Amino acid sequence: MLKTYSRKKKAEQEKLPSRVRPPVDDEDEKRHFQKVVYAFKSYRSHLSKKFTTNRQLLESLPERQQYLLKTYKESLQEVEKCVQHNQSLIDLIVKDVFFMFENANAPAPSQELVEEEPSVMDLERVQTTLKQFVRDWSKEGASERNTCYQPIIDEVLKNFSPEHCEPDKIQVLVPGSGLGRLAFEIASKGYSCQGNEFSLFMLIASHFVLNKCNQKEMYSLYPWIHQVENNLTPQHQMQMIYFPDVNPSELLRPSAANFTMAAGDFLEIYTKAEEWDCVATCFFIDCANNIVDFIDKIHYILKPGGLWINLGPLLYHYSNIPGEFSIEPAYSTVREVIAGVGFEMEKEETNLKTTYGQNPNSMLQYEYNSVFFVCRKVKLET
């Protein structure tokens, strides 16, 4: 089984067995976990309320308009079936999820779920997590992976060539790893790789695909079923995808011991200086309240001469969230910070066309002009 570490300090992680150990005596963490699981379980019931409203509105229209919208009425019925299909998949994802924890005293999930109305944000996170299966683990996401992940993988192979080093001795960290595909790909090349993710939604889903999927395309889902706007046809909204596009258990077998996932805040759990040979970040550094904190931490944990590979935009996730502080420098300033903390830029590309979780059939398309750079931690002269 792929190791997934709990939200503990890095110094404590080395003692953990193959399953996750829950935070001891941390009721807030346990309650948060239970709320996330309940948000997953509430997926269908939440959307059913919307469908009920839609049907009532449709039935309140004049008969002539109802007749003109008969295709819409039929599609609503089909959408409900797709949502039920997704809920069946979700039930598999969260089945025995509490056994991610290495704790004999862990109570049964049915007795411990926090059955309170999930927040709108948590319900949206469930939908976002389902869409992440497309980007990371479906053939439909291959184009995004080629533009976002492949440049990073190529730089790892170039700078730590198996011809000149032992890959399993090279420590690579992938913060903000989502459903784990980038970290998986690096580990499958023989490197010792750890993915790090803060979101329990993503961690639960990545645990499912990396530990419970043992053949290609064994599961299916409707990732775009929640998108009611900008559909050319009802069929585009109801497009089914299959995952995973590769067999994770088969490809990882030779190097499973060199692939782990660590749960927790990147800034909190990585406390050991000069531990990593490479840090690979993809659509990650703008997730910080203060991007300088991330840059400082990456520099701190890299070995002298270590490599930081980054690709992504500067969306600044906290910039429009009430009550959150957010530092939002332009890239030119970020570049000054990178040099100021002790990195040397070795490669830099701007205006790299990338997408994130894009629905290829949508009438609305988002595209980022991302930055891609490779920089090295300067070795101090002795």
Side-chain angles (χ1 to χ4, degrees):
M1 176 178 282
L2 173 68
K3 291 182 181 179
T4 308
Y5 292 118
S6 69
R7 295 174 179 232
K8 302 297 256 180
K9 300 298 184 185
K10 185 71 173 91
E12 300 174 56
Q13 291 180 0
E14 307 304 332
K15 305 175 185 177
L16 300 179
S18 60
R19 290 181 180 175
V20 181
R21 188 188 304 276
V24 178
D25 297 326
D26 192 336
E27 293 302 320
D28 287 342
E29 284 289 343
K30 291 179 181 178
R31 182 177 177 84
H32 175 61
F33 188 91
Q34 293 154 7
K35 289 177 68 175
V36 169
V37 174
Y38 191 66
F40 272 113
K41 287 182 170 290
S42 302
Y43 167 82
R44 185 194 177 196
S45 61
H46 166 69
L47 290 175
S48 292
K49 296 175 184 177
K50 175 179 173 56
F51 299 145
T52 298
T53 300
N54 287 345
R55 283 196 301 270
Q56 290 173 344
L57 288 173
L58 185 60
E59 291 168 359
S60 69
L61 297 177
E63 288 189 10
R64 174 180 172 276
Q65 292 187 2
Q66 290 189 47
Y67 176 78
L68 293 172
L69 287 169
K70 61 181 180 179
T71 302
Y72 173 62
K73 182 177 181 179
E74 293 168 357
S75 68
L76 282 178
Q77 295 171 346
E78 293 302 313
V79 164
E80 290 196 63
K81 294 178 183 177
C82 296
V83 168
Q84 175 55 52
H85 178 94
N86 284 357
Q87 184 65 62
S88 297
L89 172 66
I90 287 172
D91 292 342
L92 290 175
I93 291 173
V94 299
K95 181 183 179 182
D96 301 327
V97 72
F98 279 64
F99 294 99
M100 288 173 63
F101 295 103
E102 185 70 16
N103 183 355
N105 297 320
S110 61
Q111 299 173 359
E112 285 295 315
L113 288 183
V114 179
E115 297 190 7
E116 61 184 53
E117 187 69 22
S119 68
V120 173
M121 185 174 293
D122 279 351
L123 292 166
E124 288 178 352
R125 285 168 178 157
V126 173
Q127 298 176 20
T128 299
T129 301
L130 292 181
K131 290 192 290 185
Q132 193 74 12
F133 280 102
V134 182
R135 176 179 170 88
D136 269 18
W137 295 103
S138 78
K139 63 183 181 183
E140 288 81 3
S143 177
E144 282 197 5
R145 293 194 298 273
N146 286 338
T147 56
C148 295
Y149 297 167
Q150 196 59 48
I152 294 173
I153 296 167
D154 290 344
E155 287 296 327
V156 173
L157 290 168
K158 174 185 173 183
N159 287 274
F160 305 100
S161 170
E163 297 177 359
H164 302 105
C165 68
E166 298 179 63
D168 63 331
K169 299 294 193 296
I170 302 299
Q171 302 279 341
V172 182
L173 175 64
V174 182
S177 55
L179 296 198
R181 184 59 179 266
L182 176 57
F184 166 87
E185 290 292 343
I186 293 172
S188 69
K189 302 290 189 283
Y191 299 96
S192 181
C193 187
Q194 182 169 99
N196 164 235
E197 178 57 51
F198 179 76
S199 167
L200 275 176
F201 294 90
M202 296 291 180
L203 286 163
I204 288 170
S206 67
H207 179 267
F208 176 76
V209 73
L210 291 168
N211 287 299
K212 302 297 180 68
C213 294
N214 55 20
Q215 63 185 25
K216 291 175 61 175
E217 298 189 342
M218 67 183 298
Y219 295 108
S220 60
L221 66 89
Y222 298 94
W224 316 118
I225 203 65
H226 329 101
Q227 180 178 315
V228 297
E229 71 281 353
N230 292 310
N231 291 307
L232 279 173
T233 71
Q235 288 71 35
H236 287 164
Q237 182 183 3
M238 293 180 276
Q239 179 187 0
M240 174 184 280
I241 65 103
Y242 292 86
F243 73 91
D245 63 313
V246 295
N247 182 348
S249 63
E250 182 179 280
L251 293 183
L252 276 177
R253 194 172 296 121
S255 58
N258 296 324
F259 183 27
T260 56
M261 292 285 285
D265 188 320
F266 170 64
L267 293 175
E268 293 181 1
I269 69 173
Y270 294 99
T271 59
K272 186 176 178 180
E274 301 182 358
E275 180 178 13
W276 300 90
D277 298 285
C278 178
V279 175
T281 52
C282 184
F283 279 72
F284 173 70
I285 60 172
D286 56 358
C287 295
N289 294 92
N290 178 1
I291 192 172
V292 182
D293 286 339
F294 274 12
I295 297 171
D296 276 337
K297 178 64 75 172
I298 292 168
H299 185 269
Y300 178 75
I301 65 177
L302 274 173
K303 297 175 182 178
L307 214 63
W308 175 22
I309 307 170
N310 175 76
L311 187 149
L314 291 176
L315 189 59
Y316 291 123
H317 290 230
Y318 292 103
S319 61
N320 294 310
I321 298 180
E324 291 282 356
F325 81 91
S326 180
I327 305 297
E328 302 141 2
Y331 175 66
S332 60
T333 304
V334 172
R335 201 181 188 286
E336 293 171 1
V337 174
I338 290 171
V341 301
F343 282 109
E344 285 185 350
M345 194 73 70
E346 295 190 348
K347 183 174 184 177
E348 183 180 32
E349 296 179 26
T350 57
N351 296 317
L352 187 68
K353 305 296 183 184
T354 57
T355 58
Y356 193 100
Q358 186 73 268
N359 179 352
N361 293 315
S362 175
M363 297 165 69
L364 177 63
Q365 299 289 318
Y366 288 101
E367 186 176 68
Y368 297 98
N369 291 323
S370 290
V371 172
F372 176 55
F373 61 74
V374 180
C375 56
R376 192 174 299 276
K377 180 176 179 177
V378 178
K379 289 184 179 180
L380 297 177
E381 296 182 3
T382 56

